Amino acid sequence: MRVKSCRSVTAARKILRRNGLTLSESEILTSLAKECLKRWRGEGKKSATPRRYNVEAAAYRIRPWYVNRVLYSALWERGIHSGESVSRMVDFAVRFYLPRLLEVLLRVRRAGVRQSPSNIAYWARRSMARKRAYKEVFINYQCKTYLNHAGDLIYMQVCTQVPKKGLSPDEIQHWNTRAA
């Protein structure tokens, strides 16, 4: 990971510890990697292998990360698909999703953990102030193959996004049944 990302994770662990939550670096990185996989939007390109990332050894630190095989496999497959290395995906997750993780963990009172009410209010305000990047939508695909013979293929796919806001309950039910 980049040195700056290592410092960010260390600072996050200190903030969590001050608020009564003890998470290891591996637990934080695992949560961030899962969030990265959940929110990843690809560009539709595929590469044969992940790109080299840590070429300048002085600017990066090797960190031990104990991760289960299923998550690592999913990250590796995503790396092959997108052409990014696993370390770059984790580094991206630290930069972009670590503040969200802190907000989620610290905005509510937890049983058995001593937290100040003003601190809880601060993290709740930060969470509420965050812009929501994605609106709830139904994604509808329509495909049609016009010709598929002897090496000739004429194919069309149309993707439509229908926003849920403004739809009546009957229309929402209609789109829900089409998605199933």
Side-chain angles (χ1 to χ4, degrees), residues 6-175:
C6 291
R7 283 196 303 261
S8 297
V9 172
T10 303
R13 289 185 66 210
K14 289 179 182 177
I15 291 169
L16 290 170
R17 198 174 311 122
R18 276 196 309 257
N19 286 282
L21 297 170
T22 305
L23 293 177
S24 70
E25 186 175 311
S26 289
E27 289 172 320
I28 290 173
L29 292 178
T30 298
S31 297
L32 294 174
K34 287 179 182 177
E35 190 69 20
C36 186
L37 286 174
K38 185 170 67 172
R39 295 181 180 271
W40 181 76
R41 303 289 186 258
E43 297 177 356
K45 300 175 185 173
K46 285 192 177 183
S47 66
T49 175
R51 294 185 187 119
R52 290 190 65 194
Y53 178 44
N54 300 334
V55 177
E56 301 167 8
Y60 302 95
R61 293 214 177 124
I62 296 173
R63 307 296 300 173
W65 181 27
Y66 303 101
V67 62
N68 66 31
R69 289 182 183 187
V70 174
L71 179 59
Y72 187 77
S73 175
L75 285 168
W76 184 253
E77 287 297 321
R78 186 62 49 86
I80 295 294
H81 181 79
S82 65
E84 296 295 331
S85 67
V86 173
S87 58
R88 179 162 287 206
M89 285 188 284
V90 171
D91 190 63
F92 175 85
V94 167
R95 285 185 286 143
F96 286 93
Y97 300 131
L98 185 59
R100 291 181 190 204
L101 178 66
L102 290 174
E103 291 165 5
V104 166
L105 294 175
L106 299 175
R107 71 180 174 199
V108 295
R109 179 171 296 284
R110 301 199 180 277
V113 176
R114 196 175 65 176
Q115 293 173 280
S116 77
S118 62
N119 206 7
I120 293 171
Y122 167 76
W123 289 102
R125 276 194 312 274
R126 269 188 66 158
S127 179
M128 292 303 292
R130 182 175 295 282
K131 281 185 164 179
R132 304 296 179 225
Y134 304 107
K135 295 180 175 62
E136 288 192 69
V137 296
F138 291 105
I139 300 175
N140 183 34
Y141 294 99
Q142 294 177 340
C143 307
K144 178 140 181 148
T145 301
Y146 294 101
L147 174 68
N148 187 2
H149 184 287
D152 291 330
L153 175 65
I154 300 175
Y155 174 81
M156 184 180 77
Q157 178 177 349
V158 177
C159 174
T160 310
Q161 293 184 358
V162 179
K164 287 184 181 181
K165 187 176 181 180
L167 293 178
S168 70
D170 292 334
E171 291 172 319
I172 290 176
Q173 180 65 31
H174 167 74
W175 284 101

